[in-house]
Amino acid sequence: MTDFVTVSALAARIGNGAKLALPVDYAGVAMAATDAIIARAPRDLHLVCVPTGGLQVDMLLGAGLVGTLETSAVSLGEAGSAPCFVRGVRGEAFRLMDATCPAIHAGLIAAQKGVPFLPLRGLIGSDLVTRRPDWKVIDNPFGENDPIVLIPAIEPDVCLFHAPEADRMGNVWIGRRRELATMAYASKRTLVTVERIREDSLLADEKTAAGVLPALYVDAVAKVPNGAWPYALWGEYAADGEEIGRYAEAARTQEGFEAFMAARAEKAA
Amino acid sequence: MTDFVTVSALAARIGNGAKLALPVDYAGVAMAATDAIIARAPRDLHLVCVPTGGLQVDMLLGAGLVGTLETSAVSLGEAGSAPCFVRGVRGEAFRLMDATCPAIHAGLIAAQKGVPFLPLRGLIGSDLVTRRPDWKVIDNPFGENDPIVLIPAIEPDVCLFHAPEADRMGNVWIGRRRELATMAYASKRTLVTVERIREDSLLADEKTAAGVLPALYVDAVAKVPNGAWPYALWGEYAADGEEIGRYAEAARTQEGFEAFMAARAEKAA
Amino acid sequence: MSVATPPVTHNERLIFTVARLLEGVRHVAVGASSPIPAAGAMLLRALEEERGGAAVRLSILGSVEHNFFTNGGVELFDCAAQGRIDAFFLGGGQIDGQGNVNLVGVGGYPTSKVRWPGSFGSAYLYHLVPRVILFREEHTPRVMVEKVEFVSAPGVTPPEVYRRGGPKALLTGRGLFSFDAERGGFRLESVHEGHEVAEIEEMTGFAFERPETVPFTPDPDPATLALLRGRVRDELAETYPGFAARMAAEISKAA
Amino acid sequence: MSVATPPVTHNERLIFTVARLLEGVRHVAVGASSPIPAAGAMLLRALEEERGGAAVRLSILGSVEHNFFTNGGVELFDCAAQGRIDAFFLGGGQIDGQGNVNLVGVGGYPTSKVRWPGSFGSAYLYHLVPRVILFREEHTPRVMVEKVEFVSAPGVTPPEVYRRGGPKALLTGRGLFSFDAERGGFRLESVHEGHEVAEIEEMTGFAFERPETVPFTPDPDPATLALLRGRVRDELAETYPGFAARMAAEISKAA
């Protein structure tokens, strides 16, 4: 059954060494939970960006919590490059597993289906394939001289995202952002922050049911209004581009990053 | 772009030898289109039941339109066994490709993803594997002495189902019956009958958007109120168990089947 | 004023046995036309709630009301592969002593003299759901055979085959067997009231182990029976109105 | 009263060129922060509508309004594999003469002196989308290199590799190249007004073919230009308000 907890208690469920899956910037990023995670400071996280990372990932990198980063890209979008990511790559601050978007999806879907791998077209000839010895190229057993890449299952310990609402049973409205469901299916535990909690069941009406991640997959929910800020939440509010820009500017140095984060934590407290 | 046509014109798009995917009895069966197909009488259809068949499949078998039947089961549910199916198996009236539900899903998802196969756990030790030489058992390249079945992609020429509504752009509301989307993704063409057509876009509201199959995948729509009868349509109407029972009774002989179908066609005309 | 409780009926005994077999599960999936397995799961859920035990989820396939899946037909199978389904029920036109089930037919293949609907998801779920309960009311040599003619789903597999599920028990109209995966065979655990070991031996086409004295299948205690006849039957009536009505009629007749 | 039409701006020329490169496509996908490719697709859509030609679909990734996908982030990639996406755009921190693109970085790997965001979906879409247009405004020897330091996505692959897509053209701030998949190299097709072949040769780190006389990149005719400055800019403003405003300002300045 789904637990309803504070954002701090939610963050406490992400332990040292956890493989943590996080969504792309427009899918519903649990930004408020980022501060709670940084406050608890789990060590040696393995981040899986689904399929790319942004502000949240850059903050976790800057806070030094990340041992491994598996992603197809990290960027602040319009605000430019992700400063802690760029600095960390240069300084070898973490192990890097460069991927490509459909490979991340394929790995999660393999886990969703409980199979060891999924085949994926494309990729051959990319240096990613040589840099990812965990990917294998085999000859398609249904073809002849037809090399194809196999992507191993990605099985996160935990995934974390932000959504508009949950109901009291623990069902979560994810709308058409179905990669959030894929993350939850693939992960051992799913943590969700939401704008609001409603009393009636999201599954009661077939209209809303279609966009629901069932409680079966949801371990804990924390209510955090405006919890994706400064990112947008689809159907709810727009991104705060200026705040993202302020971060991009501040985090150009590690000191600037730390000052920014301290101010952010103070504001949240 | 999506064409809006009569059910007869819709049925005319299913040609001789077409590989035709059809949904399970509770997912939205285009029953009214069945009569239109039988009236046009395409030959040598290859039916793919997603993942099992019922009344519609039994009728197409009884009408002698089917060359190959690929299915995990055919049954009339509470009304008992599917008479034309049972008779056809006994008389070798068609080629039979016995499957298991997740293998049908896997084959369609492989087609959805444009990959030649999907791996699937289970199955090993079942006579299905020996009876389906198109399935292959390989040693999992990520394991050791770990046999796993590969299911080849199922690429239907066309799929056909019934849904509550479409909009004027050709978007179709499929709610949480996502196997209908999988069928459409996997198929070259998608034909849909609907209860009603609405003027405003189903994609305009994020609440309804989550359950929409986009027009991109929808080739033609025909409006047929009550088009799943005597099957149920989720969220709309219940099954007419008595009518299914009457069919089960009548179709116990080929003559009885033909008389039933003639009466049905007359009623529809 | 005291009213004698009508005795436990056959169906109630089966339902209670199913609930016992499900003890400890968190999530049970049952087929659309399986009222006894569903009732057993509902009874366990009610018992656990009364005890303050772990919550029990029940998914009824094909039902709109008791279906909390939102990813279409594939979700059950994905969910099983993720280890999120603890128990499932399988029937079978034939069941043999190695736990193999045949849902396809007899008298040749692909041309079968008697053809059943087909294998459904059995070939998959039998490997992946930890606790599969074989449930078949008809217990005759026609059904309980030495060797099935078509293996829809195998009871045992070679050690190298990935498998984390399989048969745990076989419940019939006459008795209850457990399955020993190591040995690959059944053991008679109990006979239902009104039946006998000799009768079961005669009606079973496969060899099985048995204790020297085979007990009767336990009946529910009065509190459990009351729960079954009250809340559980009400819940059951929502999805299986015909079966719930029949259960009520059986009790009146017995009273 | 006659008002002189302000001359075609650089951005308008690029947009028109994109529309020409997309001719005949039914479905174009563009990245979230790619206003010029999006504008080119919008222009083509408007032109086709005026001509009564085939409808053109445009998917803008990451946009809620211009996104008719309903299956999450994977749908774009599935859709491409199904052959339902005809054209896509790729940039690149480095692009080389074999059509390889580098979106990862330079100065070592995994430790890179200059690190860019990463490969995104390039390694996949480059193989599967029939018409990939490389678009990079900056045309300097730093970007247009002889050999990329990291191949995010290869321009050509051995014949046995399943591939039904790849680079068709390279559009930069200075000119337009076509790509010959057979030969695995670029050919200069045109230079933009205000630029010269010698300049392009100097600013390009890789060898390329060229006709003896390289024409100027064509400008839109007045009707097309009017469509671009009217309907297309209005549509563009919904998703890229900043860029649409800049375009308008450029025209006022030029007038």
Side-chain angles (χ1 to χ4, degrees), chain A residues 71-151:
Chain A
T71 190
S72 305
V74 182
S75 150
L76 299 183
E78 303 284 306
S81 67
C84 297
F85 166 68
V86 169
R87 198 156 52 237
V89 168
R90 206 183 294 131
E92 284 182 276
F94 42 80
R95 184 168 75 105
L96 188 58
M97 297 172 74
D98 258 296
T100 179
C101 305
I104 302 248
H105 291 300
L108 291 171
I109 292 170
Q112 166 184 345
K113 300 195 161 293
V115 291
F117 60 87
L118 233 58
L120 193 65
R121 285 299 189 188
L123 280 64
I124 295 172
S126 165
D127 284 343
L128 292 172
V129 178
T130 51
R131 293 301 185 158
R132 287 294 300 264
D134 56 327
W135 297 354
K136 284 188 196 293
V137 182
I138 66 159
D139 196 33
N140 168 17
F142 294 88
E144 213 173 301
N145 191 21
D146 176 19
I148 188 165
V149 178
L150 304 184
I151 306 294

Side-chain angles (χ1 to χ4, degrees), chain B residues 145-169:
Chain B
N145 191 21
D146 176 19
I148 188 166
V149 179
L150 304 183
I151 306 294
I154 299 173
E155 295 171 304
D157 295 304
V158 54
C159 72
L160 169 69
F161 61 84
H162 186 71
E165 54 187 19
D167 68 23
R168 279 281 162 221
M169 281 61 76

Side-chain angles (χ1 to χ4, degrees), chain D residues 11 70 159 205:
Chain D
N11 277 333
T70 59

